[in-house]
Amino acid sequence: MTSRIVYLDNNATTQMAPEVIEALQSSYEAYGNASSMHTFGRRAAGYVEKARTQVAELLGCNADEIYFTSGATESNNTVFHIARSLIESGKGKRIITTAIEHPATIETTNYLRSEGFEVDRIGVSADGRLDFAELEAKMGPDVALVSVMTGNNETGTIQDVERASRLAHKHGALFHTDATQAIGKIEVDVRKWNLDYLSLSGHKFYGPKGIGVLFVKKGCPKKPFMNGGHQEGGFRAGTYNTQAIYGLGVAADLARRNLAYESAQLWAMREALRKGLLERVDDIVINGCQEHCLPGTLNVSFPRAEGESILLMLDMKGIAVSTGSACATGSLEPSYVLLAGGLDVELAHGSIRFSFGRYNTMEDVDYVLEVVPPVIKRLRELSTR
Ligand SMILES: Cc1ncc(COP(=O)(O)O)c(C=O)c1O
């Protein structure tokens, strides 16, 4: 084992920023229920509302369009719950999404299918970009909702969300994007992209886990996913998680202020790793679109080496990466995201995702470039025996 630790699994989750930890600690004095009318409650509500403003500033919207949830999984589920109720009340018949969404969308829409709802999944090209010809062909006045993720969690490929939203609106459909992986990495502007709904999650940008947001454009349909109290104007029941919300607000503020710098840093590290691997390891394939890519994500296939074996050998050297989607760990199925782009099954099996974050350095890249080549060489030797 080694004492050196290089965490390159920031798309799975990030470590909390010290500023967020400090904010969490200070916020525990606001232990009142944010819905209570007394001083304790009002103090807690002040923390919640401050965070709401900080998230709104990050997304370029009004604070009253921000709803706190338990994470992006709940936000996505809520959006499809709204689409379901629209269809049930006769406003449209179909939902359109893509083949490469996170399971929080894929499984939710699979469930809707099992309940008899019509869901179309649009394919992607070899570089993981949305097939707009197919989307255009599938659009029609009977589409209730179109959902296209902003940046993919496995490959980092960024979609032209603005164009997809325009197309959805042209046909009278509502538009949602899962921007969970994009927040803090690229500019996300709900007005410029003309979004109706957007999902994000605190733990992907140095905030706490178990807290997320659903942005709902003013006037767009809302329907609670859970029954209970009247929090969030009756849209999201459950006692406010004041501390996590406050921490999320601080994380949003940091993300907004550091965006340009961090985005450039992430890209520099990612590019140094990409070039270094191409120089040092023969016969590798870089997956996803290289032009429209989240700055910190690099997905690489190493033919004749199994992804899980690479992951475990790197782990022994203190390097944390993932293979396929971290959320799918435990399953040895090749990544459906890579297969959707037409990648060969063997290449998909040998794929590794390196995802950089705020606390990585160029020294981390140097270390990874020192460790990966002999690991791949060894595994390839073993595979030919
Ligand atoms: C694109 C995307 N959407 C949704 C989620 C789920 O987020 P959460 O962990 O907040 O439920 C993730 C987490 O991996 C993600 O990457």
Side-chain angles (χ1 to χ4, degrees):
M1 290 294 266
T2 172
S3 58
R4 179 152 191 148
I5 303 290
V6 176
Y7 184 74
L8 288 184
D9 203 12
N10 288 277
N11 284 14
T13 196
T14 56
Q15 78 182 79
M16 267 198 280
E19 296 90 333
V20 172
I21 296 174
E22 209 178 293
L24 287 181
Q25 279 161 349
S26 72
S27 73
Y28 280 101
E29 59 95 19
Y31 57 82
N33 186 323
S35 304
S36 299
M37 285 170 70
H38 48 59
T39 308
F40 293 86
R42 288 202 307 276
R43 187 178 300 150
Y47 278 83
V48 170
E49 294 318 312
K50 179 166 184 210
R52 202 186 302 281
T53 303
Q54 286 167 319
V55 175
E57 281 170 359
L58 173 70
L59 298 181
C61 63
N62 299 332
D64 62 1
E65 295 173 305
I66 298 297
Y67 297 90
F68 294 110
T69 65
S70 63
T73 299
E74 184 190 323
S75 299
N76 287 3
N77 270 271
T78 306
V79 168
F80 292 109
H81 185 64
I82 294 168
R84 175 193 184 129
S85 83
L86 287 174
I87 293 170
E88 280 169 342
S89 62
K91 297 191 189 94
K93 270 164 58 188
R94 281 186 296 138
I95 291 170
I96 293 188
T97 184
T98 82
I100 56 154
E101 299 292 314
H102 185 272
T105 289
I106 297 281
E107 294 306 327
T108 308
T109 48
N110 274 346
Y111 174 72
L112 286 177
R113 271 182 175 170
S114 76
E115 296 264 293
F117 291 87
E118 242 185 280
V119 178
D120 290 324
R121 292 200 206 294
I122 308 300
V124 293
S125 56
D127 65 359
R129 296 264 283 169
L130 190 66
D131 182 343
F132 270 95
E134 189 186 347
L135 177 59
E136 194 126 28
K138 292 255 168 70
M139 282 307 306
D142 62 337
V143 178
L145 176 83
V146 177
S147 177
V148 175
M149 74 192 320
T150 310
N152 186 266
N153 42 302
E154 293 189 39
T155 60
T157 298
I158 297 172
Q159 304 300 339
D160 189 342
V161 172
E162 196 177 345
R163 182 173 169 198
S165 151
R166 205 180 314 125
L167 192 54
H169 290 139
K170 191 173 119 188
H171 293 271
L174 291 160
F175 185 82
H176 165 249
T177 192
D178 177 351
T180 304
Q181 291 291 343
I183 298 293
K185 297 172 192 155
I186 61 168
E187 201 178 326
V188 174
D189 185 327
V190 300
R191 298 280 187 254
K192 187 163 166 246
W193 293 354
N194 199 5
L195 303 178
D196 299 312
Y197 305 97
L198 171 146
S199 306
L200 65 78
S201 177
H203 73 101
K204 305 288 185 180
F205 59 103
Y206 319 100
K209 293 175 179 50
I211 188 75
V213 159
L214 178 61
F215 155 81
V216 182
K217 185 179 166 184
K218 207 177 195 113
C220 282
K222 291 197 303 254
K223 185 175 170 72
F225 180 55
M226 300 189 294
N227 300 305
H230 291 99
Q231 291 86 356
E232 298 295 74
F235 183 39
R236 203 285 184 168
T239 301
Y240 284 100
N241 187 351
T242 312
Q243 276 63 45
I245 291 172
Y246 189 57
L248 172 74
V250 172
D253 195 46
L254 288 169
R256 182 178 57 81
R257 287 190 283 111
N258 298 340
L259 180 67
Y261 174 76
E262 272 181 21
S263 183
Q265 292 290 106
L266 292 176
W267 185 251
M269 290 187 282
R270 183 249 193 223
E271 279 300 277
L273 181 60
R274 184 181 66 83
K275 288 177 188 152
L277 287 175
L278 284 167
E279 275 163 22
R280 291 169 179 78
V281 188
D282 59 357
D283 193 19
I284 64 173
V285 177
I286 310 289
N287 298 313
C289 181
Q290 299 309 296
E291 193 190 343
H292 304 280
C293 184
L294 293 176
T297 307
L298 181 69
N299 190 305
V300 187
S301 286
F302 297 92
R304 306 185 307 288
E306 256 280 325
E308 280 70 26
S309 309
I310 302 171
L311 183 152
L312 293 173
M313 284 181 74
L314 293 185
D315 189 42
M316 286 197 294
K317 297 282 186 187
I319 301 171
V321 296
S322 83
T323 171
S325 171
C327 302
T329 299
S331 130
L332 286 180
E333 290 295 306
S335 150
Y336 63 86
V337 171
L338 297 178
L339 296 183
L343 197 72
D344 165 285
V345 174
E346 197 224 336
L347 285 177
H349 264 302
S351 87
I352 289 291
R353 176 186 70 186
F354 302 91
S355 52
F356 290 90
R358 181 180 292 164
Y359 305 108
N360 290 118
T361 62
M362 275 296 177
E363 284 72 51
D364 291 342
V365 176
D366 293 341
Y367 180 62
V368 174
L369 286 174
E370 191 186 304
V371 170
V372 170
V375 163
I376 301 298
K377 186 163 178 275
R378 177 88 189 110
L379 287 173
R380 284 178 172 170
E381 281 164 5
L382 288 173
S383 81
T384 52
R385 280 198 188 156

Short mmCIF file of all heavy atoms in Angstrom, two decimals, residues 284-312:
data_model
loop_
_atom_site.label_atom_id
_atom_site.label_comp_id
_atom_site.label_asym_id
_atom_site.label_seq_id
_atom_site.Cartn_x
_atom_site.Cartn_y
_atom_site.Cartn_z
N ILE A 284 -4.79 3.09 -26.79
CA ILE A 284 -5.89 3.47 -25.89
C ILE A 284 -6.92 4.29 -26.66
O ILE A 284 -6.61 4.84 -27.72
CB ILE A 284 -5.41 4.27 -24.64
CG1 ILE A 284 -4.80 5.63 -25.03
CG2 ILE A 284 -4.47 3.46 -23.79
CD1 ILE A 284 -4.48 6.51 -23.84
N VAL A 285 -8.13 4.33 -26.14
CA VAL A 285 -9.20 5.07 -26.81
C VAL A 285 -9.76 6.08 -25.81
O VAL A 285 -10.10 5.73 -24.68
CB VAL A 285 -10.33 4.11 -27.25
CG1 VAL A 285 -11.49 4.88 -27.89
CG2 VAL A 285 -9.79 3.06 -28.22
N ILE A 286 -9.83 7.34 -26.24
CA ILE A 286 -10.43 8.37 -25.38
C ILE A 286 -11.91 8.45 -25.75
O ILE A 286 -12.24 8.65 -26.92
CB ILE A 286 -9.76 9.75 -25.61
CG1 ILE A 286 -8.23 9.66 -25.54
CG2 ILE A 286 -10.32 10.79 -24.63
CD1 ILE A 286 -7.63 9.42 -24.18
N ASN A 287 -12.78 8.26 -24.77
CA ASN A 287 -14.22 8.21 -25.05
C ASN A 287 -14.90 9.56 -24.86
O ASN A 287 -14.47 10.38 -24.05
CB ASN A 287 -14.88 7.19 -24.12
CG ASN A 287 -14.33 5.79 -24.35
OD1 ASN A 287 -14.22 5.34 -25.50
ND2 ASN A 287 -13.97 5.11 -23.28
N GLY A 288 -15.99 9.73 -25.61
CA GLY A 288 -16.80 10.94 -25.47
C GLY A 288 -16.29 12.05 -26.37
O GLY A 288 -15.27 11.92 -27.05
N CYS A 289 -17.03 13.14 -26.38
CA CYS A 289 -16.69 14.26 -27.24
C CYS A 289 -15.55 15.06 -26.60
O CYS A 289 -15.62 15.41 -25.42
CB CYS A 289 -17.93 15.15 -27.40
SG CYS A 289 -17.63 16.57 -28.45
N GLN A 290 -14.53 15.34 -27.38
CA GLN A 290 -13.37 16.05 -26.82
C GLN A 290 -13.52 17.56 -26.93
O GLN A 290 -12.80 18.31 -26.30
CB GLN A 290 -12.08 15.58 -27.49
CG GLN A 290 -11.81 14.10 -27.30
CD GLN A 290 -11.90 13.69 -25.83
OE1 GLN A 290 -11.11 14.13 -25.01
NE2 GLN A 290 -12.87 12.85 -25.49
N GLU A 291 -14.47 17.99 -27.75
CA GLU A 291 -14.65 19.44 -27.93
C GLU A 291 -15.67 19.98 -26.92
O GLU A 291 -15.45 21.02 -26.30
CB GLU A 291 -15.14 19.69 -29.36
CG GLU A 291 -15.06 21.14 -29.76
CD GLU A 291 -15.76 21.40 -31.08
OE1 GLU A 291 -16.02 20.43 -31.83
OE2 GLU A 291 -16.07 22.57 -31.34
N HIS A 292 -16.77 19.25 -26.77
CA HIS A 292 -17.80 19.67 -25.83
C HIS A 292 -17.76 18.72 -24.65
O HIS A 292 -18.44 17.70 -24.63
CB HIS A 292 -19.18 19.63 -26.49
CG HIS A 292 -19.24 20.46 -27.73
ND1 HIS A 292 -19.40 21.82 -27.72
CD2 HIS A 292 -19.11 20.13 -29.03
CE1 HIS A 292 -19.39 22.30 -28.94
NE2 HIS A 292 -19.21 21.28 -29.77
N CYS A 293 -16.89 19.07 -23.68
CA CYS A 293 -16.63 18.12 -22.60
C CYS A 293 -16.52 18.84 -21.27
O CYS A 293 -15.92 19.91 -21.19
CB CYS A 293 -15.32 17.40 -22.92
SG CYS A 293 -14.92 16.13 -21.73
N LEU A 294 -17.09 18.26 -20.23
CA LEU A 294 -16.92 18.83 -18.90
C LEU A 294 -15.43 18.90 -18.62
O LEU A 294 -14.72 17.91 -18.86
CB LEU A 294 -17.61 17.96 -17.84
CG LEU A 294 -19.13 17.90 -17.90
CD1 LEU A 294 -19.68 16.92 -16.88
CD2 LEU A 294 -19.75 19.28 -17.70
N PRO A 295 -14.94 20.01 -18.12
CA PRO A 295 -13.49 20.19 -18.05
C PRO A 295 -12.73 19.16 -17.22
O PRO A 295 -11.57 18.88 -17.50
CB PRO A 295 -13.32 21.61 -17.49
CG PRO A 295 -14.63 22.00 -16.95
CD PRO A 295 -15.66 21.23 -17.70
N GLY A 296 -13.35 18.56 -16.20
CA GLY A 296 -12.58 17.66 -15.34
C GLY A 296 -12.73 16.18 -15.63
O GLY A 296 -12.20 15.36 -14.89
N THR A 297 -13.44 15.83 -16.69
CA THR A 297 -13.73 14.40 -16.91
C THR A 297 -12.91 13.83 -18.07
O THR A 297 -12.89 14.41 -19.15
CB THR A 297 -15.24 14.21 -17.22
OG1 THR A 297 -16.00 14.82 -16.19
CG2 THR A 297 -15.61 12.74 -17.32
N LEU A 298 -12.27 12.69 -17.81
CA LEU A 298 -11.54 11.99 -18.88
C LEU A 298 -11.91 10.51 -18.79
O LEU A 298 -11.65 9.85 -17.78
CB LEU A 298 -10.02 12.16 -18.70
CG LEU A 298 -9.18 11.49 -19.77
CD1 LEU A 298 -9.34 12.18 -21.13
CD2 LEU A 298 -7.70 11.48 -19.39
N ASN A 299 -12.50 10.01 -19.87
CA ASN A 299 -12.91 8.60 -19.90
C ASN A 299 -12.06 7.88 -20.94
O ASN A 299 -12.04 8.26 -22.10
CB ASN A 299 -14.41 8.51 -20.24
CG ASN A 299 -14.94 7.10 -20.06
OD1 ASN A 299 -14.41 6.14 -20.62
ND2 ASN A 299 -15.98 6.96 -19.27
N VAL A 300 -11.34 6.85 -20.48
CA VAL A 300 -10.37 6.18 -21.35
C VAL A 300 -10.62 4.68 -21.37
O VAL A 300 -10.83 4.08 -20.30
CB VAL A 300 -8.93 6.41 -20.83
CG1 VAL A 300 -7.90 5.86 -21.82
CG2 VAL A 300 -8.67 7.88 -20.56
N SER A 301 -10.57 4.07 -22.56
CA SER A 301 -10.63 2.61 -22.65
C SER A 301 -9.23 2.06 -22.87
O SER A 301 -8.48 2.59 -23.71
CB SER A 301 -11.53 2.17 -23.82
OG SER A 301 -12.88 2.38 -23.49
N PHE A 302 -8.91 1.03 -22.11
CA PHE A 302 -7.61 0.37 -22.22
C PHE A 302 -7.87 -1.05 -22.73
O PHE A 302 -8.14 -1.96 -21.93
CB PHE A 302 -6.91 0.31 -20.85
CG PHE A 302 -6.60 1.66 -20.26
CD1 PHE A 302 -7.51 2.29 -19.40
CD2 PHE A 302 -5.40 2.30 -20.53
CE1 PHE A 302 -7.22 3.53 -18.83
CE2 PHE A 302 -5.11 3.55 -19.97
CZ PHE A 302 -6.02 4.16 -19.13
N PRO A 303 -7.81 -1.26 -24.06
CA PRO A 303 -8.08 -2.61 -24.56
C PRO A 303 -7.16 -3.64 -23.91
O PRO A 303 -6.03 -3.33 -23.57
CB PRO A 303 -7.77 -2.48 -26.07
CG PRO A 303 -7.86 -1.03 -26.36
CD PRO A 303 -7.49 -0.31 -25.11
N ARG A 304 -7.67 -4.84 -23.76
CA ARG A 304 -6.97 -6.00 -23.17
C ARG A 304 -6.65 -5.81 -21.68
O ARG A 304 -5.77 -6.43 -21.12
CB ARG A 304 -5.68 -6.34 -23.94
CG ARG A 304 -5.89 -6.55 -25.43
CD ARG A 304 -4.63 -6.99 -26.16
NE ARG A 304 -3.47 -6.14 -25.95
CZ ARG A 304 -3.34 -4.92 -26.47
NH1 ARG A 304 -4.29 -4.40 -27.21
NH2 ARG A 304 -2.24 -4.22 -26.25
N ALA A 305 -7.40 -4.90 -21.04
CA ALA A 305 -7.29 -4.75 -19.58
C ALA A 305 -8.71 -4.50 -19.06
O ALA A 305 -9.43 -3.69 -19.63
CB ALA A 305 -6.38 -3.59 -19.22
N GLU A 306 -9.10 -5.23 -18.03
CA GLU A 306 -10.45 -5.09 -17.47
C GLU A 306 -10.53 -3.85 -16.58
O GLU A 306 -9.65 -3.62 -15.74
CB GLU A 306 -10.74 -6.31 -16.59
CG GLU A 306 -11.66 -7.32 -17.24
CD GLU A 306 -13.12 -6.88 -17.13
OE1 GLU A 306 -13.50 -6.27 -16.11
OE2 GLU A 306 -13.86 -7.16 -18.09
N GLY A 307 -11.61 -3.10 -16.74
CA GLY A 307 -11.80 -1.88 -15.94
C GLY A 307 -11.70 -2.13 -14.44
O GLY A 307 -11.01 -1.40 -13.72
N GLU A 308 -12.37 -3.20 -13.96
CA GLU A 308 -12.38 -3.46 -12.52
C GLU A 308 -10.97 -3.76 -12.00
O GLU A 308 -10.59 -3.36 -10.91
CB GLU A 308 -13.30 -4.65 -12.17
CG GLU A 308 -14.77 -4.30 -12.11
CD GLU A 308 -15.35 -3.98 -13.47
OE1 GLU A 308 -14.82 -4.49 -14.50
OE2 GLU A 308 -16.34 -3.22 -13.53
N SER A 309 -10.18 -4.50 -12.83
CA SER A 309 -8.81 -4.84 -12.39
C SER A 309 -7.96 -3.57 -12.34
O SER A 309 -7.16 -3.38 -11.41
CB SER A 309 -8.16 -5.83 -13.36
OG SER A 309 -9.03 -6.91 -13.57
N ILE A 310 -8.15 -2.69 -13.33
CA ILE A 310 -7.37 -1.43 -13.33
C ILE A 310 -7.73 -0.64 -12.06
O ILE A 310 -6.86 -0.17 -11.34
CB ILE A 310 -7.69 -0.58 -14.58
CG1 ILE A 310 -7.39 -1.35 -15.86
CG2 ILE A 310 -6.89 0.73 -14.56
CD1 ILE A 310 -7.88 -0.67 -17.14
N LEU A 311 -9.05 -0.54 -11.82
CA LEU A 311 -9.52 0.23 -10.65
C LEU A 311 -8.87 -0.29 -9.35
O LEU A 311 -8.35 0.47 -8.55
CB LEU A 311 -11.04 0.13 -10.57
CG LEU A 311 -11.76 0.92 -9.47
CD1 LEU A 311 -13.18 1.27 -9.94
CD2 LEU A 311 -11.86 0.18 -8.16
N LEU A 312 -8.88 -1.62 -9.19
CA LEU A 312 -8.37 -2.19 -7.93
C LEU A 312 -6.86 -2.00 -7.82
O LEU A 312 -6.34 -1.71 -6.73
CB LEU A 312 -8.75 -3.67 -7.83
CG LEU A 312 -10.26 -3.90 -7.67
CD1 LEU A 312 -10.61 -5.38 -7.75
CD2 LEU A 312 -10.77 -3.29 -6.37
#
